[in-house]
Amino acid sequence: VLDYASTLTQLQSGWRFIEEELQLPRPKVAWIMDSFGNSKVTPTLLSNQGFDYMFIGRLWRNWKKQLTE
């Protein structure tokens, strides 16, 4: 079950970090690493928050292993 209030709070917190700490503009592409557990309204929610695109995809195990080393 997706909690919309938590999702919005996490988005706002992430945007603040990106803008203040990384000094980058707000992203326009949402990357969802795992589609399980997301609601069918997730694309609409993200669109309403300013995202133009949504990408769903997992990393290959080899890539994930390299990134965590």
Side-chain angles (χ1 to χ4, degrees):
V1 175
L2 182 65
D3 178 4
Y4 298 107
S6 287
T7 301
L8 294 176
T9 301
Q10 290 176 20
L11 280 172
Q12 292 168 351
S13 176
W15 286 329
R16 269 194 305 277
F17 177 82
I18 289 170
E19 292 170 348
E20 293 173 7
E21 300 296 325
L22 303 177
Q23 299 178 354
L24 295 171
R26 190 177 284 195
K28 294 292 185 177
V29 179
W31 177 17
I32 298 178
M33 294 182 64
D34 193 346
S35 63
F36 298 105
N38 288 300
S39 168
K40 65 182 178 182
V41 298
T42 299
T44 303
L45 175 70
L46 294 173
S47 177
N48 289 341
Q49 294 303 309
F51 287 96
D52 293 331
Y53 305 98
M54 182 179 88
F55 172 75
I56 299 173
R58 293 182 182 197
L59 291 175
W60 289 345
R61 286 186 180 158
N62 291 344
W63 290 0
K64 185 176 181 181
K65 184 179 177 182
Q66 289 176 356
L67 291 172
T68 57
E69 291 177 349

Short mmCIF file of all heavy atoms in Angstrom, two decimals:
data_model
loop_
_atom_site.label_atom_id
_atom_site.label_comp_id
_atom_site.label_asym_id
_atom_site.label_seq_id
_atom_site.Cartn_x
_atom_site.Cartn_y
_atom_site.Cartn_z
N VAL A 1 0.85 -1.17 0.00
CA VAL A 1 0.00 0.00 0.00
C VAL A 1 0.89 1.23 0.00
O VAL A 1 1.81 1.35 0.80
CB VAL A 1 -0.93 0.02 1.22
CG1 VAL A 1 -1.73 1.29 1.28
CG2 VAL A 1 -1.82 -1.19 1.21
N LEU A 2 0.62 2.12 -0.91
CA LEU A 2 1.40 3.34 -1.05
C LEU A 2 0.77 4.46 -0.22
O LEU A 2 -0.42 4.72 -0.32
CB LEU A 2 1.43 3.74 -2.52
CG LEU A 2 2.24 4.97 -2.90
CD1 LEU A 2 3.70 4.73 -2.62
CD2 LEU A 2 2.03 5.27 -4.36
N ASP A 3 1.55 5.09 0.60
CA ASP A 3 1.10 6.21 1.42
C ASP A 3 1.48 7.50 0.69
O ASP A 3 2.65 7.84 0.60
CB ASP A 3 1.76 6.14 2.79
CG ASP A 3 1.38 7.30 3.69
OD1 ASP A 3 0.53 8.12 3.30
OD2 ASP A 3 1.92 7.37 4.80
N TYR A 4 0.48 8.18 0.16
CA TYR A 4 0.73 9.36 -0.67
C TYR A 4 1.38 10.50 0.10
O TYR A 4 2.26 11.17 -0.42
CB TYR A 4 -0.56 9.83 -1.34
CG TYR A 4 -1.13 8.77 -2.26
CD1 TYR A 4 -2.26 8.05 -1.91
CD2 TYR A 4 -0.50 8.46 -3.46
CE1 TYR A 4 -2.75 7.06 -2.74
CE2 TYR A 4 -0.99 7.48 -4.30
CZ TYR A 4 -2.11 6.79 -3.93
OH TYR A 4 -2.59 5.80 -4.75
N ALA A 5 0.98 10.69 1.34
CA ALA A 5 1.58 11.77 2.13
C ALA A 5 3.07 11.51 2.34
O ALA A 5 3.89 12.42 2.21
CB ALA A 5 0.86 11.90 3.47
N SER A 6 3.44 10.26 2.63
CA SER A 6 4.86 9.92 2.79
C SER A 6 5.62 10.10 1.49
O SER A 6 6.76 10.58 1.48
CB SER A 6 5.01 8.47 3.26
OG SER A 6 4.63 8.33 4.58
N THR A 7 5.00 9.72 0.39
CA THR A 7 5.64 9.86 -0.91
C THR A 7 5.93 11.32 -1.21
O THR A 7 7.03 11.68 -1.64
CB THR A 7 4.76 9.26 -2.02
OG1 THR A 7 4.54 7.88 -1.74
CG2 THR A 7 5.41 9.39 -3.38
N LEU A 8 4.97 12.18 -0.97
CA LEU A 8 5.16 13.62 -1.22
C LEU A 8 6.23 14.20 -0.30
O LEU A 8 7.06 15.00 -0.73
CB LEU A 8 3.84 14.36 -1.06
CG LEU A 8 2.77 14.02 -2.09
CD1 LEU A 8 1.47 14.75 -1.77
CD2 LEU A 8 3.23 14.33 -3.49
N THR A 9 6.22 13.78 0.97
CA THR A 9 7.22 14.26 1.92
C THR A 9 8.62 13.83 1.49
O THR A 9 9.57 14.62 1.53
CB THR A 9 6.92 13.73 3.34
OG1 THR A 9 5.63 14.18 3.73
CG2 THR A 9 7.96 14.18 4.34
N GLN A 10 8.77 12.58 1.04
CA GLN A 10 10.06 12.08 0.59
C GLN A 10 10.52 12.81 -0.67
O GLN A 10 11.71 13.12 -0.82
CB GLN A 10 10.00 10.58 0.35
CG GLN A 10 9.87 9.80 1.64
CD GLN A 10 9.71 8.32 1.39
OE1 GLN A 10 10.06 7.80 0.33
NE2 GLN A 10 9.19 7.62 2.38
N LEU A 11 9.59 13.09 -1.59
CA LEU A 11 9.94 13.84 -2.80
C LEU A 11 10.46 15.22 -2.44
O LEU A 11 11.49 15.67 -2.94
CB LEU A 11 8.72 13.97 -3.72
CG LEU A 11 8.38 12.78 -4.59
CD1 LEU A 11 7.05 13.01 -5.29
CD2 LEU A 11 9.47 12.52 -5.61
N GLN A 12 9.76 15.91 -1.56
CA GLN A 12 10.17 17.26 -1.17
C GLN A 12 11.52 17.25 -0.47
O GLN A 12 12.37 18.11 -0.72
CB GLN A 12 9.10 17.89 -0.28
CG GLN A 12 7.82 18.17 -1.04
CD GLN A 12 6.65 18.51 -0.12
OE1 GLN A 12 6.74 18.40 1.10
NE2 GLN A 12 5.55 18.93 -0.72
N SER A 13 11.74 16.27 0.38
CA SER A 13 13.02 16.15 1.07
C SER A 13 14.15 15.88 0.07
O SER A 13 15.23 16.48 0.16
CB SER A 13 12.95 15.01 2.10
OG SER A 13 14.19 14.81 2.70
N GLY A 14 13.90 15.01 -0.88
CA GLY A 14 14.90 14.72 -1.91
C GLY A 14 15.20 15.92 -2.77
O GLY A 14 16.36 16.18 -3.11
N TRP A 15 14.16 16.68 -3.14
CA TRP A 15 14.37 17.88 -3.96
C TRP A 15 15.21 18.91 -3.21
O TRP A 15 16.08 19.54 -3.80
CB TRP A 15 13.04 18.49 -4.37
CG TRP A 15 12.34 17.71 -5.44
CD1 TRP A 15 12.91 16.98 -6.43
CD2 TRP A 15 10.94 17.60 -5.61
NE1 TRP A 15 11.94 16.41 -7.21
CE2 TRP A 15 10.72 16.79 -6.74
CE3 TRP A 15 9.84 18.10 -4.94
CZ2 TRP A 15 9.45 16.46 -7.20
CZ3 TRP A 15 8.58 17.78 -5.40
CH2 TRP A 15 8.40 16.97 -6.53
N ARG A 16 14.93 19.08 -1.92
CA ARG A 16 15.73 20.02 -1.13
C ARG A 16 17.20 19.61 -1.12
O ARG A 16 18.09 20.43 -1.28
CB ARG A 16 15.21 20.12 0.31
CG ARG A 16 14.17 21.19 0.52
CD ARG A 16 13.93 21.48 1.98
NE ARG A 16 13.56 20.30 2.77
CZ ARG A 16 12.33 19.80 2.87
NH1 ARG A 16 11.34 20.37 2.22
NH2 ARG A 16 12.10 18.75 3.60
N PHE A 17 17.44 18.31 -0.92
CA PHE A 17 18.82 17.82 -0.91
C PHE A 17 19.50 18.07 -2.26
O PHE A 17 20.62 18.55 -2.32
CB PHE A 17 18.84 16.33 -0.58
CG PHE A 17 20.23 15.74 -0.63
CD1 PHE A 17 21.08 15.88 0.45
CD2 PHE A 17 20.69 15.08 -1.76
CE1 PHE A 17 22.36 15.36 0.41
CE2 PHE A 17 21.97 14.56 -1.81
CZ PHE A 17 22.81 14.70 -0.73
N ILE A 18 18.80 17.75 -3.34
CA ILE A 18 19.36 17.93 -4.68
C ILE A 18 19.68 19.40 -4.94
O ILE A 18 20.74 19.73 -5.46
CB ILE A 18 18.40 17.37 -5.75
CG1 ILE A 18 18.39 15.84 -5.68
CG2 ILE A 18 18.78 17.83 -7.15
CD1 ILE A 18 17.31 15.19 -6.52
N GLU A 19 18.76 20.28 -4.58
CA GLU A 19 18.95 21.71 -4.86
C GLU A 19 19.98 22.35 -3.93
O GLU A 19 20.81 23.13 -4.39
CB GLU A 19 17.60 22.43 -4.76
CG GLU A 19 16.64 22.03 -5.87
CD GLU A 19 15.23 22.56 -5.67
OE1 GLU A 19 14.90 23.04 -4.57
OE2 GLU A 19 14.44 22.46 -6.63
N GLU A 20 19.94 22.01 -2.63
CA GLU A 20 20.82 22.67 -1.67
C GLU A 20 22.21 22.04 -1.60
O GLU A 20 23.21 22.76 -1.57
CB GLU A 20 20.18 22.65 -0.27
CG GLU A 20 18.93 23.50 -0.19
CD GLU A 20 18.19 23.34 1.13
OE1 GLU A 20 18.72 22.67 2.05
OE2 GLU A 20 17.08 23.88 1.24
N GLU A 21 22.29 20.73 -1.55
CA GLU A 21 23.58 20.05 -1.37
C GLU A 21 24.31 19.82 -2.70
O GLU A 21 25.52 19.97 -2.76
CB GLU A 21 23.39 18.72 -0.65
CG GLU A 21 22.77 18.84 0.73
CD GLU A 21 23.64 19.62 1.71
OE1 GLU A 21 24.88 19.51 1.62
OE2 GLU A 21 23.07 20.31 2.57
N LEU A 22 23.57 19.44 -3.72
CA LEU A 22 24.20 19.14 -5.00
C LEU A 22 24.15 20.32 -5.96
O LEU A 22 24.83 20.31 -6.99
CB LEU A 22 23.53 17.92 -5.65
CG LEU A 22 23.52 16.64 -4.81
CD1 LEU A 22 22.78 15.54 -5.53
CD2 LEU A 22 24.93 16.22 -4.46
N GLN A 23 23.33 21.31 -5.63
CA GLN A 23 23.16 22.51 -6.45
C GLN A 23 22.79 22.15 -7.90
O GLN A 23 23.35 22.69 -8.86
CB GLN A 23 24.40 23.40 -6.39
CG GLN A 23 24.67 23.87 -4.99
CD GLN A 23 25.91 24.72 -4.87
OE1 GLN A 23 26.68 24.90 -5.80
NE2 GLN A 23 26.10 25.28 -3.68
N LEU A 24 21.85 21.25 -8.02
CA LEU A 24 21.34 20.81 -9.31
C LEU A 24 19.86 21.16 -9.42
O LEU A 24 19.17 21.28 -8.40
CB LEU A 24 21.52 19.30 -9.48
CG LEU A 24 22.96 18.79 -9.54
CD1 LEU A 24 22.98 17.27 -9.47
CD2 LEU A 24 23.65 19.29 -10.80
N PRO A 25 19.36 21.31 -10.64
CA PRO A 25 17.92 21.58 -10.78
C PRO A 25 17.08 20.34 -10.45
O PRO A 25 17.59 19.21 -10.44
CB PRO A 25 17.78 21.96 -12.25
CG PRO A 25 18.93 21.30 -12.93
CD PRO A 25 20.05 21.28 -11.91
N ARG A 26 15.84 20.56 -10.20
CA ARG A 26 14.90 19.49 -9.89
C ARG A 26 14.79 18.53 -11.09
O ARG A 26 14.64 18.97 -12.22
CB ARG A 26 13.54 20.10 -9.58
CG ARG A 26 12.54 19.12 -9.03
CD ARG A 26 11.26 19.81 -8.69
NE ARG A 26 11.40 20.57 -7.46
CZ ARG A 26 10.40 21.04 -6.76
NH1 ARG A 26 9.17 20.90 -7.19
NH2 ARG A 26 10.61 21.71 -5.65
N PRO A 27 14.88 17.23 -10.84
CA PRO A 27 14.83 16.27 -11.96
C PRO A 27 13.45 16.22 -12.62
O PRO A 27 12.43 16.51 -12.00
CB PRO A 27 15.16 14.94 -11.30
CG PRO A 27 14.90 15.12 -9.86
CD PRO A 27 15.07 16.57 -9.56
N LYS A 28 13.46 15.85 -13.89
CA LYS A 28 12.22 15.71 -14.66
C LYS A 28 11.90 14.25 -14.98
O LYS A 28 10.88 13.95 -15.56
CB LYS A 28 12.33 16.50 -15.98
CG LYS A 28 12.42 18.00 -15.77
CD LYS A 28 11.10 18.50 -15.24
CE LYS A 28 11.08 20.00 -15.13
NZ LYS A 28 9.78 20.47 -14.69
N VAL A 29 12.85 13.34 -14.63
CA VAL A 29 12.65 11.92 -14.88
C VAL A 29 12.67 11.18 -13.55
O VAL A 29 13.60 11.34 -12.75
CB VAL A 29 13.77 11.36 -15.79
CG1 VAL A 29 13.56 9.86 -16.01
CG2 VAL A 29 13.80 12.09 -17.12
N ALA A 30 11.64 10.38 -13.30
CA ALA A 30 11.58 9.56 -12.10
C ALA A 30 12.04 8.15 -12.44
O ALA A 30 11.58 7.56 -13.41
CB ALA A 30 10.15 9.51 -11.56
N TRP A 31 12.98 7.63 -11.66
CA TRP A 31 13.46 6.26 -11.86
C TRP A 31 12.95 5.42 -10.70
O TRP A 31 13.32 5.63 -9.56
CB TRP A 31 14.97 6.23 -11.91
CG TRP A 31 15.56 4.86 -12.05
CD1 TRP A 31 14.93 3.71 -12.45
CD2 TRP A 31 16.90 4.49 -11.77
NE1 TRP A 31 15.79 2.67 -12.46
CE2 TRP A 31 17.04 3.11 -12.05
CE3 TRP A 31 18.02 5.18 -11.33
CZ2 TRP A 31 18.21 2.43 -11.89
CZ3 TRP A 31 19.20 4.49 -11.19
CH2 TRP A 31 19.30 3.14 -11.47
N ILE A 32 12.09 4.48 -11.03
CA ILE A 32 11.55 3.57 -10.03
C ILE A 32 12.25 2.23 -10.23
O ILE A 32 12.07 1.59 -11.26
CB ILE A 32 10.02 3.44 -10.16
CG1 ILE A 32 9.39 4.81 -9.92
CG2 ILE A 32 9.49 2.39 -9.20
CD1 ILE A 32 7.90 4.84 -10.05
N MET A 33 13.06 1.84 -9.25
CA MET A 33 13.88 0.65 -9.41
C MET A 33 13.07 -0.64 -9.28
O MET A 33 13.50 -1.68 -9.73
CB MET A 33 15.01 0.65 -8.39
CG MET A 33 15.98 1.78 -8.64
SD MET A 33 17.36 1.78 -7.50
CE MET A 33 18.16 0.26 -7.89
N ASP A 34 11.93 -0.58 -8.66
CA ASP A 34 11.13 -1.79 -8.46
C ASP A 34 9.66 -1.41 -8.58
O ASP A 34 9.16 -0.59 -7.83
CB ASP A 34 11.42 -2.38 -7.09
CG ASP A 34 10.88 -3.77 -6.92
OD1 ASP A 34 10.05 -4.21 -7.74
OD2 ASP A 34 11.30 -4.44 -5.97
N SER A 35 8.98 -2.01 -9.53
CA SER A 35 7.58 -1.64 -9.75
C SER A 35 6.63 -2.29 -8.76
O SER A 35 5.46 -1.91 -8.68
CB SER A 35 7.17 -2.02 -11.18
OG SER A 35 7.26 -3.42 -11.35
N PHE A 36 7.09 -3.26 -8.00
CA PHE A 36 6.22 -3.92 -7.04
C PHE A 36 5.94 -3.00 -5.87
O PHE A 36 6.82 -2.34 -5.34
CB PHE A 36 6.85 -5.23 -6.55
CG PHE A 36 7.05 -6.22 -7.65
CD1 PHE A 36 8.32 -6.45 -8.15
CD2 PHE A 36 5.98 -6.90 -8.21
CE1 PHE A 36 8.52 -7.36 -9.17
CE2 PHE A 36 6.16 -7.80 -9.23
CZ PHE A 36 7.44 -8.03 -9.72
N GLY A 37 4.69 -2.92 -5.47
CA GLY A 37 4.30 -2.10 -4.34
C GLY A 37 3.87 -0.69 -4.71
O GLY A 37 3.40 0.05 -3.87
N ASN A 38 4.01 -0.33 -5.98
CA ASN A 38 3.55 0.98 -6.42
C ASN A 38 2.12 0.89 -6.93
O ASN A 38 1.72 -0.11 -7.51
CB ASN A 38 4.45 1.53 -7.52
CG ASN A 38 5.79 1.96 -6.99
OD1 ASN A 38 5.87 2.83 -6.14
ND2 ASN A 38 6.85 1.34 -7.45
N SER A 39 1.39 1.93 -6.73
CA SER A 39 0.00 2.00 -7.16
C SER A 39 -0.08 2.34 -8.64
O SER A 39 0.84 2.92 -9.22
CB SER A 39 -0.70 3.09 -6.34
OG SER A 39 -1.95 3.38 -6.88
N LYS A 40 -1.21 2.03 -9.25
CA LYS A 40 -1.40 2.39 -10.66
C LYS A 40 -1.53 3.90 -10.84
O LYS A 40 -1.44 4.39 -11.95
CB LYS A 40 -2.61 1.67 -11.23
CG LYS A 40 -3.93 2.06 -10.61
CD LYS A 40 -5.06 1.25 -11.21
CE LYS A 40 -6.38 1.61 -10.56
NZ LYS A 40 -7.48 0.80 -11.09
N VAL A 41 -1.71 4.63 -9.76
CA VAL A 41 -1.78 6.09 -9.86
C VAL A 41 -0.42 6.76 -9.65
O VAL A 41 -0.32 7.98 -9.71
CB VAL A 41 -2.81 6.70 -8.88
CG1 VAL A 41 -4.20 6.19 -9.17
CG2 VAL A 41 -2.43 6.45 -7.44
N THR A 42 0.64 5.96 -9.45
CA THR A 42 1.98 6.52 -9.27
C THR A 42 2.38 7.43 -10.43
O THR A 42 2.88 8.53 -10.19
CB THR A 42 3.01 5.41 -9.04
OG1 THR A 42 2.66 4.69 -7.85
CG2 THR A 42 4.41 5.97 -8.90
N PRO A 43 2.17 7.02 -11.69
CA PRO A 43 2.53 7.94 -12.79
C PRO A 43 1.80 9.28 -12.72
O PRO A 43 2.39 10.33 -12.98
CB PRO A 43 2.14 7.16 -14.05
CG PRO A 43 2.16 5.74 -13.65
CD PRO A 43 1.72 5.73 -12.21
N THR A 44 0.54 9.26 -12.35
CA THR A 44 -0.23 10.50 -12.23
C THR A 44 0.30 11.35 -11.08
O THR A 44 0.46 12.57 -11.22
CB THR A 44 -1.72 10.19 -12.01
OG1 THR A 44 -2.19 9.40 -13.10
CG2 THR A 44 -2.54 11.46 -11.91
N LEU A 45 0.60 10.72 -9.96
CA LEU A 45 1.15 11.43 -8.81
C LEU A 45 2.46 12.11 -9.19
O LEU A 45 2.67 13.29 -8.89
CB LEU A 45 1.37 10.46 -7.65
CG LEU A 45 2.06 11.00 -6.42
CD1 LEU A 45 1.14 11.96 -5.69
CD2 LEU A 45 2.48 9.88 -5.50
N LEU A 46 3.34 11.38 -9.87
CA LEU A 46 4.63 11.94 -10.27
C LEU A 46 4.46 13.06 -11.29
O LEU A 46 5.15 14.08 -11.23
CB LEU A 46 5.54 10.84 -10.81
CG LEU A 46 5.97 9.79 -9.79
CD1 LEU A 46 6.72 8.65 -10.47
CD2 LEU A 46 6.80 10.40 -8.68
N SER A 47 3.53 12.88 -12.21
CA SER A 47 3.26 13.92 -13.21
C SER A 47 2.77 15.20 -12.53
O SER A 47 3.20 16.30 -12.88
CB SER A 47 2.22 13.42 -14.21
OG SER A 47 1.90 14.42 -15.13
N ASN A 48 1.90 15.04 -11.55
CA ASN A 48 1.39 16.21 -10.83
C ASN A 48 2.48 16.92 -10.02
O ASN A 48 2.34 18.09 -9.67
CB ASN A 48 0.25 15.81 -9.89
CG ASN A 48 -1.00 15.45 -10.64
OD1 ASN A 48 -1.18 15.80 -11.80
ND2 ASN A 48 -1.90 14.71 -9.99
N GLN A 49 3.57 16.20 -9.75
CA GLN A 49 4.68 16.79 -8.99
C GLN A 49 5.79 17.32 -9.90
O GLN A 49 6.86 17.68 -9.44
CB GLN A 49 5.24 15.76 -8.01
CG GLN A 49 4.27 15.38 -6.93
CD GLN A 49 3.80 16.58 -6.14
OE1 GLN A 49 4.60 17.37 -5.66
NE2 GLN A 49 2.50 16.74 -6.01
N GLY A 50 5.54 17.34 -11.22
CA GLY A 50 6.49 17.98 -12.12
C GLY A 50 7.37 17.05 -12.92
O GLY A 50 8.22 17.51 -13.68
N PHE A 51 7.20 15.75 -12.77
CA PHE A 51 8.00 14.82 -13.56
C PHE A 51 7.40 14.69 -14.96
O PHE A 51 6.18 14.59 -15.12
CB PHE A 51 8.05 13.44 -12.90
CG PHE A 51 8.92 13.39 -11.68
CD1 PHE A 51 8.37 13.53 -10.42
CD2 PHE A 51 10.28 13.22 -11.79
CE1 PHE A 51 9.16 13.49 -9.29
CE2 PHE A 51 11.09 13.19 -10.66
CZ PHE A 51 10.52 13.32 -9.42
N ASP A 52 8.25 14.69 -15.96
CA ASP A 52 7.80 14.52 -17.34
C ASP A 52 7.82 13.06 -17.78
O ASP A 52 7.08 12.65 -18.66
CB ASP A 52 8.68 15.33 -18.30
CG ASP A 52 8.53 16.83 -18.10
OD1 ASP A 52 7.44 17.27 -17.68
OD2 ASP A 52 9.50 17.55 -18.35
N TYR A 53 8.71 12.27 -17.16
CA TYR A 53 8.88 10.88 -17.56
C TYR A 53 9.05 10.00 -16.33
O TYR A 53 9.52 10.45 -15.29
CB TYR A 53 10.12 10.71 -18.45
CG TYR A 53 10.11 11.60 -19.65
CD1 TYR A 53 10.81 12.80 -19.64
CD2 TYR A 53 9.40 11.26 -20.78
CE1 TYR A 53 10.80 13.64 -20.74
CE2 TYR A 53 9.37 12.09 -21.89
CZ TYR A 53 10.07 13.28 -21.86
OH TYR A 53 10.05 14.11 -22.95
N MET A 54 8.70 8.72 -16.49
CA MET A 54 8.90 7.73 -15.44
C MET A 54 9.55 6.51 -16.07
O MET A 54 9.07 5.99 -17.08
CB MET A 54 7.57 7.33 -14.80
CG MET A 54 7.73 6.36 -13.66
SD MET A 54 6.17 5.91 -12.87
CE MET A 54 5.68 4.54 -13.87
N PHE A 55 10.64 6.06 -15.48
CA PHE A 55 11.36 4.89 -15.96
C PHE A 55 11.31 3.83 -14.88
O PHE A 55 11.62 4.10 -13.72
CB PHE A 55 12.82 5.27 -16.27
CG PHE A 55 13.70 4.11 -16.59
CD1 PHE A 55 13.61 3.48 -17.82
CD2 PHE A 55 14.60 3.64 -15.67
CE1 PHE A 55 14.41 2.41 -18.12
CE2 PHE A 55 15.43 2.57 -15.95
CZ PHE A 55 15.32 1.95 -17.19
N ILE A 56 10.90 2.62 -15.25
CA ILE A 56 10.88 1.51 -14.31
C ILE A 56 11.91 0.49 -14.77
O ILE A 56 11.86 0.02 -15.91
CB ILE A 56 9.50 0.83 -14.24
CG1 ILE A 56 8.43 1.83 -13.78
CG2 ILE A 56 9.53 -0.37 -13.30
CD1 ILE A 56 7.03 1.29 -13.85
N GLY A 57 12.85 0.20 -13.93
CA GLY A 57 13.85 -0.79 -14.31
C GLY A 57 14.78 -1.13 -13.17
O GLY A 57 15.08 -0.29 -12.33
N ARG A 58 15.20 -2.36 -13.18
CA ARG A 58 16.15 -2.82 -12.17
C ARG A 58 17.55 -2.86 -12.76
O ARG A 58 17.72 -3.00 -13.97
CB ARG A 58 15.78 -4.22 -11.71
CG ARG A 58 14.49 -4.29 -10.97
CD ARG A 58 14.24 -5.70 -10.52
NE ARG A 58 12.97 -5.78 -9.84
CZ ARG A 58 12.63 -6.77 -9.05
NH1 ARG A 58 13.45 -7.78 -8.89
NH2 ARG A 58 11.47 -6.78 -8.46
N LEU A 59 18.53 -2.75 -11.89
CA LEU A 59 19.92 -2.90 -12.32
C LEU A 59 20.24 -4.38 -12.47
O LEU A 59 19.76 -5.22 -11.71
CB LEU A 59 20.86 -2.30 -11.28
CG LEU A 59 20.85 -0.81 -11.11
CD1 LEU A 59 21.77 -0.42 -9.96
CD2 LEU A 59 21.29 -0.12 -12.37
N TRP A 60 21.08 -4.70 -13.43
CA TRP A 60 21.58 -6.06 -13.52
C TRP A 60 22.40 -6.35 -12.29
O TRP A 60 23.03 -5.46 -11.70
CB TRP A 60 22.43 -6.24 -14.76
CG TRP A 60 21.66 -6.22 -16.04
CD1 TRP A 60 20.31 -6.34 -16.18
CD2 TRP A 60 22.19 -6.05 -17.34
NE1 TRP A 60 19.97 -6.27 -17.50
CE2 TRP A 60 21.11 -6.09 -18.25
CE3 TRP A 60 23.46 -5.89 -17.84
CZ2 TRP A 60 21.27 -5.98 -19.60
CZ3 TRP A 60 23.63 -5.78 -19.20
CH2 TRP A 60 22.54 -5.82 -20.07
N ARG A 61 22.40 -7.59 -11.88
CA ARG A 61 23.13 -7.96 -10.65
C ARG A 61 24.60 -7.57 -10.72
O ARG A 61 25.18 -7.13 -9.73
CB ARG A 61 23.00 -9.46 -10.41
CG ARG A 61 21.65 -9.85 -9.92
CD ARG A 61 21.61 -11.31 -9.56
NE ARG A 61 20.26 -11.64 -9.10
CZ ARG A 61 19.77 -12.83 -9.11
NH1 ARG A 61 20.50 -13.84 -9.53
NH2 ARG A 61 18.55 -13.05 -8.68
N ASN A 62 25.22 -7.74 -11.88
CA ASN A 62 26.64 -7.38 -12.00
C ASN A 62 26.84 -5.88 -11.79
O ASN A 62 27.82 -5.47 -11.17
CB ASN A 62 27.18 -7.80 -13.37
CG ASN A 62 27.27 -9.30 -13.52
OD1 ASN A 62 27.21 -10.02 -12.53
ND2 ASN A 62 27.39 -9.78 -14.74
N TRP A 63 25.97 -5.07 -12.34
CA TRP A 63 26.08 -3.62 -12.16
C TRP A 63 25.88 -3.25 -10.70
O TRP A 63 26.61 -2.43 -10.16
CB TRP A 63 25.07 -2.88 -13.01
CG TRP A 63 25.32 -2.93 -14.48
CD1 TRP A 63 26.35 -3.56 -15.13
CD2 TRP A 63 24.54 -2.30 -15.49
NE1 TRP A 63 26.23 -3.37 -16.48
CE2 TRP A 63 25.12 -2.61 -16.73
CE3 TRP A 63 23.38 -1.55 -15.46
CZ2 TRP A 63 24.59 -2.16 -17.93
CZ3 TRP A 63 22.86 -1.10 -16.66
CH2 TRP A 63 23.47 -1.39 -17.88
N LYS A 64 24.87 -3.85 -10.09
CA LYS A 64 24.58 -3.56 -8.68
C LYS A 64 25.78 -3.93 -7.82
O LYS A 64 26.16 -3.19 -6.91
CB LYS A 64 23.33 -4.31 -8.24
CG LYS A 64 22.88 -3.98 -6.84
CD LYS A 64 21.59 -4.68 -6.51
CE LYS A 64 21.12 -4.35 -5.13
NZ LYS A 64 19.88 -5.04 -4.78
N LYS A 65 26.38 -5.08 -8.09
CA LYS A 65 27.55 -5.51 -7.34
C LYS A 65 28.69 -4.53 -7.48
O LYS A 65 29.35 -4.16 -6.51
CB LYS A 65 27.97 -6.91 -7.79
CG LYS A 65 29.10 -7.48 -7.00
CD LYS A 65 29.46 -8.88 -7.48
CE LYS A 65 30.66 -9.41 -6.70
NZ LYS A 65 31.05 -10.74 -7.16
N GLN A 66 28.92 -4.05 -8.71
CA GLN A 66 30.00 -3.08 -8.94
C GLN A 66 29.74 -1.77 -8.22
O GLN A 66 30.67 -1.14 -7.70
CB GLN A 66 30.17 -2.83 -10.44
CG GLN A 66 30.77 -4.00 -11.18
CD GLN A 66 30.83 -3.77 -12.67
OE1 GLN A 66 30.36 -2.76 -13.18
NE2 GLN A 66 31.42 -4.71 -13.39
N LEU A 67 28.50 -1.33 -8.20
CA LEU A 67 28.16 -0.06 -7.55
C LEU A 67 28.29 -0.13 -6.03
O LEU A 67 28.52 0.88 -5.37
CB LEU A 67 26.75 0.37 -7.93
CG LEU A 67 26.56 0.80 -9.38
CD1 LEU A 67 25.09 1.02 -9.68
CD2 LEU A 67 27.35 2.07 -9.69
N THR A 68 28.11 -1.32 -5.46
CA THR A 68 28.18 -1.44 -4.01
C THR A 68 29.59 -1.73 -3.50
O THR A 68 29.81 -1.72 -2.31
CB THR A 68 27.22 -2.54 -3.50
OG1 THR A 68 27.55 -3.77 -4.14
CG2 THR A 68 25.78 -2.17 -3.79
N GLU A 69 30.51 -1.98 -4.42
CA GLU A 69 31.89 -2.25 -3.98
C GLU A 69 32.66 -0.98 -3.72
O GLU A 69 32.45 0.04 -4.22
CB GLU A 69 32.62 -3.08 -5.04
CG GLU A 69 32.06 -4.50 -5.11
CD GLU A 69 32.73 -5.32 -6.22
OE1 GLU A 69 33.46 -4.79 -7.06
OE2 GLU A 69 32.49 -6.53 -6.20
#
